[in-house]
Amino acid sequence: MAPAPAWWRPLTVVDAKAAEFARETGFREAAAAFQSIGGRRAGAVLQRLAVITFKPEAVVGRRIPTALEFMRRHGFRPVAFRRVRLHRYRARELWRYQWNVATLDRLSVADLLMPACDSLWVAFWDETTPLTMPGTVRFRSLKGPAYPSVRREGQLRYELGGTNRMMTFIHAADEPIDIVRESGVLFDSEDYPALAGELIAAEDADATGELHACLSRLHDSVPSLELDIDAAMSRVDTVLADHLGQGPSPDLSAARHELTRARDGETLDWAGFVRHLESADVQLPLWDRIQIGAQHIRHDEENAVCTIDDDGRTGWLSGRGTVLPMEAPRSAQVRQRDDAPTEVTDVTVVDVAGGRLWPRMTLRLADGRLTPAGRTGDPRTTATGPRRVVDGSGLFLCPGLHDSHVHHRDDDSALYLANGVTRVRNMWGSEQHLVLAAGKDATGFGPRMLTTSPVIDGPAETQASTWPGVVQCRSYGEGIKAATELADEGYRMLKVYGNVTRETLAGVGEVARERGLQVVGHCPGALTFEEAAGLGMSCIEHLENVETGHLLPEYARALRSLGRRYRQLGPGHAAVEALRIRTTGIDWQAIERMADELAASGTAVCPTLSLYRMMFQEPEAALRDPALDYIAPERVRQWHPRQDFRLRDLAPVWPEVVALSRRRLENCLEIVAILHAHGVRIIAGTDAPNPYLVPGFSLHHELSLLVQAGLSPLDALRCATTVPAGHFRGAAGADWHTDDDYLLLDGNPLESLRTLRRPEGLVFRGVHRSRRDLTALLDAQRRVPLEARGEG
């Protein structure tokens, strides 16, 4: 009979990790301590934890307070901590399965960095309810990569800064099993029982106060330093110049030559650099040596592979892991405010799909069920026991709104909810967005999310490169490879961009059909909307390039001629001329034919009319929008055409761009009217937070423009509720519907959509929030307005 699996086996989805750890004495001793203290509860507790070791650079650089605030903001509560010294052998054991690829130079620099001062080990309790993935895995998606160039806003390492992959400020356990192993590496065996006891009992613990006191003592014992590689290089230059001023030295000249080559992008020969300094008897400050080495050495041996290269995140996100229940689960699954009511009574329900009203209904928040209000005391419709009630008489209950084209930022969440936007489609995905979209970060107070993949694009024709971080493809095969890898990572919606070729789109579309995914994004510039739809695009974003293939012949010839004169005209004047041609030369009969083909293929269009209305206007006019009070002034300043890198070339001709954009918006309104009349699904989205598109507020601009295009208020409301719910359900799952979240309105939205702009209340995730609560959300977001709304 085969032996029973070890109790800790559910703590990892990586077979190689389980096999290697089981051979380690330290792991076995630490695991025994956890089992002895926690019994069957140990595994579930470890799945609740995330553990960070704040390395010496985080201590001297004073980055730990920023990290602790980040963890609090994302629902992690500190429950235990220890000061620990990462001496040479402890560091090598900690990274045993990764440092087998490290160069000797990297190991040498690590021997300076890791024991430079005490590190701080902190365990956090993941407050997510219910838990759907281990806390270590959820934090893995939040922390950001070691490589600075691919970090993204919203990740912890992005907030902490840093310019190289060695001085990353934090090390974190990747899976629950790593918590056990790292305990065995970092602490002595006599410490295991006490530490295990703290963690097993951590469910109701909060070590915030004691942790900050410990951090204060640590800071008192370790001087702070400004970690600036340029300043460090300058100081070393000065030291070398001073010594060389006292007389020639071949070793110091060679050391200075090595630094010069490093500045020019060459790899620093660390061993040789150190040898030259030692021969000349020059001792540089410790942290200057650390920074220079970490920044300029070669870190890994070529073609080397880590012993264990799988952190387990993909396995957990794809459902291969098992989340263990706590032995005594809490009864409450949804945290509600104490004054949260259980029913909204006597309210008129807006049936958006059916286009009708259902008066005198009751909504039970506990189960989301709508029932007739009935007569007083009717046992079929009256809950037993104490009830907390919202009187809905005179109010209308409408589904929460979808903004189906946003670029999500955590600090915009309150703006969406205060404006009644309870669902968003994030249009540039990352690991963090996958977690949010899976509903596995329930502590985050923000709209429900559907996310695309990172952008798949081709090489740019008119600029050196496309957006940083795109997945660049040049062929059918590369399209298949990129789409397959993104699908394996868990993305259900693949986003393509304007430089994608026909062949690449065909490859992406083939994978999407095989895997049941949706392809969305910009219509590639070389294709018509009909061609993109024929290659599998499910939703085309914006009306960018809609004129391609739909211009009158003489204007199509003029546009091709313009491409040959691009350099002669310069980017600004060429853009104006192209906009003039596209605005003036539309073949409206071709647009009608396009609409028929899109309707037949089932391809939706998300026109983002508000993007053309808000982004392309005079800054002085844009700054008069009171919604900008909720955006930080520095963000608003970056939206000026002279500051936005996409628009700088247009700044000299901006008045012409604005005038032509108004005319183009009129064309777009007409195109939307044609699409809608021919049965094409129109989906409301804004592209917030692009310039002057304030999250939440901008969706109301979009709905107003849809009505201006000729849609009825009911049809426009469907574009922000039932249409996206139905169209994206295949990519989001069967639970992506409209009957979970509701707005309470003081007027009938089927008569006027203006009532949506100021909800009387919001029912979101089973909790009612009043108008006062929503106003408080906005007040908390209000920023210091720009001085007199000038350009600053």
Side-chain angles (χ1 to χ4, degrees):
M1 178 181 296
W7 71 269
W8 46 261
R9 190 58 184 84
L11 303 184
T12 179
V13 295
V14 182
D15 293 338
K17 188 182 290 188
E20 292 288 350
F21 288 8
R23 300 186 181 101
E24 293 187 19
T25 302
F27 172 80
R28 292 164 53 211
E29 290 177 336
F34 276 102
Q35 185 182 31
S36 173
I37 300 294
R40 294 171 55 189
R41 182 180 171 86
V45 167
L46 287 162
Q47 288 191 343
R48 274 281 177 184
L49 299 173
V51 170
I52 299 176
T53 302
F54 294 101
K55 294 156 55 188
E57 65 267 29
V59 178
V60 302
R62 300 303 193 255
R63 300 303 207 279
I64 300 178
T66 298
L68 295 180
E69 170 56 26
F70 179 95
M71 298 300 285
R72 183 201 63 77
R73 200 163 68 239
H74 287 86
F76 290 96
R77 168 173 31 98
V79 293
F81 57 90
R82 296 285 192 280
R83 285 175 65 163
V84 62
R85 183 63 65 102
L86 294 174
H87 55 65
R88 182 174 188 268
Y89 297 106
R90 186 173 277 163
R92 276 164 170 66
E93 185 64 14
L94 189 62
W95 286 285
R96 174 198 288 192
Y97 301 106
Q98 290 76 40
W99 279 9
N100 64 289
V101 305
T103 62
L104 295 179
D105 283 352
R106 179 179 172 189
L107 295 175
S108 179
V109 175
D111 287 344
L112 297 176
L113 170 61
M114 298 306 171
C117 68
D118 277 359
S119 295
L120 184 63
W121 179 95
V122 183
F124 297 86
W125 187 269
D126 186 345
E127 296 184 308
T128 302
T129 302
L131 189 73
T132 54
M133 72 168 69
T136 51
V137 179
R138 184 165 81 89
F139 176 65
R140 169 67 181 80
S141 296
L142 292 170
K143 73 177 181 179
Y147 293 89
S149 61
V150 292
R151 294 173 192 159
R152 298 189 60 179
E153 191 171 358
Q155 295 172 335
L156 176 55
R157 281 179 172 153
Y158 181 95
E159 292 192 12
L160 297 179
T163 60
N164 61 71
R165 53 172 290 203
M166 179 175 283
M167 296 176 64
T168 56
F169 303 105
I170 63 169
H171 164 73
D174 292 323
E175 290 186 285
I177 195 172
D178 294 298
I179 299 176
V180 180
R181 178 183 181 270
E182 292 178 10
S183 298
V185 171
L186 296 176
F187 307 109
D188 296 332
S189 57
E190 57 266 25
D191 296 330
Y192 298 162
L195 178 63
E198 284 184 54
L199 296 181
I200 296 300
E203 183 174 6
D204 297 311
D206 188 343
T208 302
E210 298 92 333
L211 174 59
H212 282 282
C214 174
L215 180 59
S216 179
R217 293 191 297 271
L218 179 57
H219 283 171
D220 287 344
S221 66
V222 178
S224 66
L225 293 171
E226 188 67 34
L227 298 177
D228 184 323
I229 181 60
D230 293 330
M233 294 284 281
S234 179
R235 285 191 294 269
V236 173
D237 282 340
T238 300
V239 170
L240 295 180
D242 287 346
H243 279 81
L244 284 169
Q246 300 171 19
S249 168
D251 283 305
L252 291 185
S253 295
R256 187 156 67 170
H257 178 66
E258 285 289 339
L259 286 185
T260 300
R261 293 178 67 249
R263 277 199 178 89
D264 292 337
E266 298 288 334
T267 299
L268 178 64
D269 175 9
W270 177 254
F273 179 69
V274 171
R275 188 168 57 250
H276 290 311
L277 294 177
E278 290 176 345
S279 296
D281 198 25
V282 172
Q283 184 72 17
L284 301 179
L286 173 63
W287 280 98
D288 286 350
R289 282 184 284 155
I290 291 172
Q291 290 186 83
I292 291 171
Q295 187 76 22
H296 293 296
I297 62 171
R298 181 163 58 90
H299 291 264
D300 295 337
E301 299 288 356
E302 293 183 9
N303 302 317
V305 179
C306 294
T307 304
I308 300 178
D309 201 27
D310 184 354
D311 61 19
R313 183 192 62 86
T314 300
W316 285 100
L317 289 178
S318 63
R320 284 200 285 120
T322 301
V323 176
L324 303 173
M326 300 289 283
E327 283 211 338
R330 302 286 181 91
S331 58
Q333 293 297 307
V334 179
R335 294 188 175 187
Q336 296 190 359
R337 306 174 331 125
D338 290 341
D339 60 343
T342 58
E343 293 182 356
V344 180
T345 63
D346 205 21
V347 69
T348 297
V349 172
V350 181
D351 177 1
V352 177
R356 54 193 170 184
L357 303 176
W358 295 98
R360 302 214 58 206
M361 299 289 285
T362 290
L363 171 68
R364 294 180 177 172
L365 272 64
D367 55 15
R369 185 182 306 168
L370 285 163
T371 56
R375 297 184 177 87
T376 303
D378 187 337
R380 295 171 301 172
T381 59
T382 303
T384 59
R387 293 185 303 149
R388 293 189 291 274
V389 175
V390 167
D391 181 6
S393 56
L395 300 179
F396 294 79
L397 190 74
C398 170
L401 304 176
H402 296 222
D403 188 336
S404 292
H405 192 121
V406 310
H407 295 273
H408 180 265
R409 295 168 49 125
D410 286 342
D411 52 356
D412 293 333
S413 292
L415 297 180
Y416 286 117
L417 294 182
N419 279 279
V421 179
T422 60
R423 294 168 188 260
V424 296
R425 182 172 59 128
N426 175 64
M427 295 303 296
W428 192 316
S430 67
E431 295 173 356
Q432 178 186 0
H433 296 123
L434 273 179
V435 173
L436 293 171
K440 296 178 178 179
D441 187 12
T443 59
F445 180 65
R448 304 178 196 267
M449 182 186 295
L450 172 63
T451 189
T452 73
S453 68
V455 168
I456 300 171
D457 201 5
E461 297 177 358
T462 59
Q463 54 188 9
S465 63
T466 56
W467 287 77
V470 301
V471 180
Q472 203 170 107
C473 299
R474 296 172 174 81
S475 66
Y476 174 82
E478 290 184 3
I480 285 183
K481 181 176 182 292
T484 300
E485 291 176 352
L486 291 169
D488 289 343
E489 290 178 23
Y491 294 102
R492 303 284 302 162
M493 186 175 284
L494 307 175
K495 181 177 179 181
V496 297
Y497 223 56
N499 293 313
V500 161
T501 64
R502 180 188 304 273
E503 293 74 21
T504 297
L505 183 56
V508 172
E510 180 175 323
V511 173
R513 285 189 297 275
E514 291 176 353
R515 303 283 290 267
L517 313 180
Q518 291 188 357
V519 181
V520 302
H522 295 210
C523 178
L527 304 180
T528 65
F529 273 36
E530 301 97 305
E531 290 171 327
L535 289 169
M537 288 196 70
S538 170
C539 183
I540 298 176
E541 314 300 320
H542 318 303
L543 293 176
E544 185 178 352
N545 295 328
V546 70
E547 299 90 354
T548 300
H550 309 118
L551 290 173
L552 295 168
E554 61 271 27
Y555 289 95
R557 287 193 296 271
L559 196 60
R560 289 193 295 271
S561 173
L562 179 64
R564 294 189 291 270
R565 296 186 292 122
Y566 179 85
R567 290 187 178 181
Q568 176 186 350
L569 291 172
H573 291 288
V576 166
E577 186 59 27
L579 188 56
R580 194 186 316 278
I581 293 170
R582 289 178 176 275
T583 301
T584 310
I586 290 182
D587 181 344
W588 290 102
Q589 291 183 339
I591 294 292
E592 298 264 359
R593 293 192 295 270
M594 176 194 76
D596 284 334
E597 290 198 34
L598 294 182
S601 67
T603 301
V605 174
C606 183
T608 62
L609 297 167
S610 49
L611 174 70
Y612 304 112
R613 170 66 184 85
M614 304 301 289
M615 186 170 176
F616 297 98
Q617 59 178 320
E618 292 291 355
E620 295 77 12
L623 291 173
R624 290 195 287 268
D625 184 355
L628 294 181
D629 284 350
Y630 303 103
I631 301 295
E634 56 270 21
R635 281 179 72 185
V636 177
R637 292 190 184 98
Q638 292 169 4
W639 288 347
H640 193 284
R642 291 197 300 267
Q643 301 298 324
D644 190 310
F645 77 94
R646 298 164 297 178
L647 305 177
R648 285 176 193 151
D649 289 340
L650 302 179
V653 293
W654 193 250
E656 294 177 83
V657 171
V658 170
L660 287 168
S661 294
R662 288 178 186 148
R663 290 169 54 188
R664 187 163 191 266
L665 177 59
E666 293 174 4
N667 287 349
C668 289
L669 293 171
E670 181 63 27
I671 291 170
V672 167
I674 292 171
L675 294 173
H676 178 66
H678 285 248
V680 177
R681 294 172 181 167
I682 305 298
I683 291 175
T686 66
D687 215 359
N690 264 288
Y692 309 117
L693 290 156
V694 180
F697 292 91
S698 56
L699 183 63
H700 298 296
H701 291 303
E702 186 72 17
L703 295 178
S704 176
L705 287 167
L706 289 174
V707 172
Q708 190 176 331
L711 278 68
S712 69
L714 171 59
D715 285 333
L717 184 57
R718 285 170 173 160
C719 295
T721 52
T722 56
V723 175
H727 191 75
F728 297 134
R729 184 171 296 178
D735 59 345
W736 191 256
H737 40 63
T738 59
D739 55 359
D740 286 336
D741 310 314
Y742 302 92
L743 309 181
L744 280 167
L745 309 171
D746 62 2
N748 180 2
L750 305 188
E751 296 177 354
S752 172
L753 297 182
R754 294 191 64 83
T755 188
L756 295 170
R757 297 184 177 223
R758 186 178 171 81
E760 288 298 310
L762 173 70
V763 175
F764 182 65
R765 298 188 187 274
V767 178
H768 170 264
R769 290 174 173 84
S770 66
R771 175 69 245 166
R772 179 180 297 178
D773 296 330
L774 299 182
T775 300
L777 275 181
L778 287 177
D779 289 343
Q781 288 291 112
R782 188 177 294 276
R783 311 300 178 94
V784 178
L786 293 173
E787 296 76 13
R789 282 301 171 91
E791 295 182 21

